[in-house]
Amino acid sequence: MTESDVDIPCVVVGAGPVGLIAALAARMKGLDVLVVEAEPYGRPRPGSRAIGLWPWTLGRLQEVMPGLGERVAEAGIMVPGMEILYGGKKIFHTPVPALPRLLTGTSLPQTLTEQLWYDECVRLGVEFRWGAPVDDVDTDPDGATVTLRSGDRIRAAYVIGADGASSAVRKSLGISMSGHTDNLPFIIVDVAEHPNSSTPQTYARFHYRTPELDGRNVMWLPFRGGMRVDLQCRRGDDVDHLASAEGIREWMPKILDPWYADHVLWVSTYRFQQVVADDYTDPHGRVLLAGEAAHLFAPFGGGRGLNSGVIDATDAATAVAKAITAENRTAARAFIDECARDRRAAGRFNRDAAGEALRIMRGTDPASIVKRELARRIAPHFPLAGAWLGAVPLLGRMTLRPGASTIY
């Protein structure tokens, strides 16, 4: 298929991790790629954000570029184990086997992930336009026109929209999102790595009904350079106070070394959305959505946001490369539609899995209460019950989508 009226074969909107890996994957398939990013180069990137990359994600990175998954894995840390507490009693714990990180996953701040992928993009000649917010994306049977706020127009054969939750690409195409917003907030706190070197050796922990925190749930997970602590709020909580420096100094020393409360790096409060785009492509099949432009999940239940975003992005790059070299327009459109259908099905699956994790963690509905209490009671005799309670917040519903090779 020849595109005679385009400036560039592939434009990626958004230079976050999903946009970067989309650009890298497309470039590795021989495409000229332009990334347009609303924010300026070197913009501040606060917080750890998406920290956990799972083995299947690292494997996909290896497919994109041999050795990339290994480098990302080594840049993070291997979380040494997992422990689950319920009402102050430990009901399950297990170490992580000493295996290569490609087989166990890795934990690192998103800023480090982005830097690794950006460096590879630059090395391979991906072009970037920083400080270039998109005002509109319009498509027709022959391509897509990306209009920047500056008034500049870029004509592309295909666009990958990876511009996050407030996606200008998705909005300009009139694609809506379906789902809901969770009604209970979570406070997410990044703390620094303890100077006694204990942080990287800390087990991931989820504590249901923590007595020291008046029955709230709490989770922590170490990453390269620090640790994330998640506090689940209850109805009626003074969330602003709990998230303040004073509030953190009140509750955090009850569960962790008091040193951490005085070494907070970042605090954020979320009401998590559980939504998926109603379509991942436009009527002409010239745009594919990826990452948070296409879906928003809670981070619990397996870190499905970035992990699924990597699969979105790399599948989109593959579909675009196939479409550009397809024999005719019908064949090209089939590659785009197939990718959009498959990734939307994955998005709906992951939204529902993350929603299930939240319901069980909250334990406010009768079914979740029964499941949790039953697992707690039998865990001392049947360790798999304790493992299930741990899998809910930390791993999620680790089952395959029908007809798919990966849960994502």
Side-chain angles (χ1 to χ4, degrees), residues 101 121 169-170 197 316 398:
R101 288 182 200 164
C121 284
V169 175
R170 186 188 68 242
S197 302
M398 308 302 281

Side-chain angles (χ1 to χ4, degrees), residues 197-213:
S197 302
S198 64
T199 307
Q201 304 305 316
T202 302
Y203 275 28
R205 171 184 281 192
F206 191 84
H207 195 159
Y208 292 89
R209 299 180 63 181
T210 312
E212 297 87 348
L213 300 179

Side-chain angles (χ1 to χ4, degrees), residues 49-258:
R49 290 166 294 154
I51 59 177
L53 294 177
W54 294 104
W56 43 87
T57 306
L58 298 174
R60 178 58 67 91
L61 298 178
Q62 287 285 92
E63 294 174 9
V64 169
M65 174 184 286
L68 180 61
E70 293 171 345
R71 292 197 297 276
V72 172
E74 291 303 315
I77 65 168
M78 182 182 74
V79 178
M82 175 178 70
E83 59 185 13
I84 308 302
L85 287 80
Y86 200 114
K89 296 181 180 180
K90 187 180 294 186
I91 61 173
F92 180 78
H93 73 280
T94 183
V96 172
L99 298 171
R101 288 182 200 164
L102 281 177
L103 301 178
T104 61
T106 193
S107 185
L108 72 169
Q110 186 176 310
T111 50
L112 184 50
T113 304
E114 290 179 2
Q115 189 63 53
L116 289 166
W117 296 348
Y118 174 72
D119 290 345
E120 291 295 345
C121 284
V122 171
R123 185 177 68 83
L124 291 175
V126 173
E127 184 182 351
F128 286 81
R129 286 190 65 169
W130 298 95
V134 170
D135 263 358
D136 184 64
V137 177
D138 183 57
T139 65
D140 56 63
D142 298 315
T145 301
V146 179
T147 303
L148 305 181
R149 192 167 299 168
S150 64
D152 291 350
R153 293 186 176 185
I154 304 165
R155 185 69 175 166
Y158 293 94
V159 172
I160 299 176
D163 50 339
S166 300
S167 174
V169 175
R170 186 188 68 242
K171 290 177 179 178
S172 66
L173 295 173
I175 299 174
S176 57
M177 305 278 273
S178 294
H180 69 279
T181 300
D182 191 64
N183 60 0
L184 290 179
F186 283 78
I187 297 170
I188 297 180
V189 184
D190 283 354
V191 294
E193 185 173 330
H194 201 291
N196 67 8
S197 302
S198 64
T199 307
Q201 304 305 316
T202 302
Y203 275 28
R205 171 184 281 192
F206 191 84
H207 195 159
Y208 292 89
R209 299 180 63 181
T210 312
E212 297 87 348
L213 300 179
D214 299 322
R216 298 178 182 87
N217 294 339
V218 67
M219 181 173 78
W220 62 69
L221 184 71
F223 58 84
R224 174 73 71 186
M227 185 161 63
R228 169 177 291 174
V229 184
D230 296 347
L231 179 70
Q232 180 181 311
C233 298
R234 301 182 305 189
R235 287 183 178 84
D237 275 346
D238 184 344
V239 178
D240 290 340
H241 175 71
L242 289 172
S244 68
E246 180 184 359
I248 292 170
R249 289 193 183 97
E250 290 174 3
W251 62 261
M252 189 173 287
K254 297 177 181 179
I255 55 170
L256 284 167
D257 186 322

